[in-house]
Amino acid sequence: MKALCVPAVVVLTLVRAAVALLSSVAIAGLICAPVYGQWVKVPAGGIPKGPDGKPNLSAPAPRSADGHPDLSGVWESGSAKYILDIAADLKPGDVPFRPGPSRL
């Protein structure tokens, strides 16, 4: 039986291509992974609370050192009602924006 001789250049090219492919897949996986900027289970300090321990949402906003409202912290919307349908509370006749006739 005759041994198959593959030039080192071909082997090196295949190894480089495999490393490049695996690196690209790893980078794409890291980029597409969900990243959470706010930790929901970590309580934020400095929130005014009522006697029952729940946050007092009607309390005034905390102030920063220069007197401006400090709006940093956890921001979360109550629901996606208006994200999905901006005219959710309007009657169908009261919606001012409707798709017009096609002008093709």
Side-chain angles (χ1 to χ4, degrees), residues 60-71:
R63 299 286 175 172
S64 61
D66 60 357
H68 291 91
D70 182 16
L71 300 178

Side-chain angles (χ1 to χ4, degrees), residues 15-53:
V15 168
R16 283 184 181 166
V19 168
L21 178 66
L22 290 174
S23 313
S24 299
V25 169
I27 289 172
L30 290 173
I31 289 174
C32 296
V35 178
Y36 300 101
Q38 297 175 349
W39 301 337
V40 178
K41 297 186 183 202
V42 176
I47 296 176
K49 296 188 172 139
D52 58 353

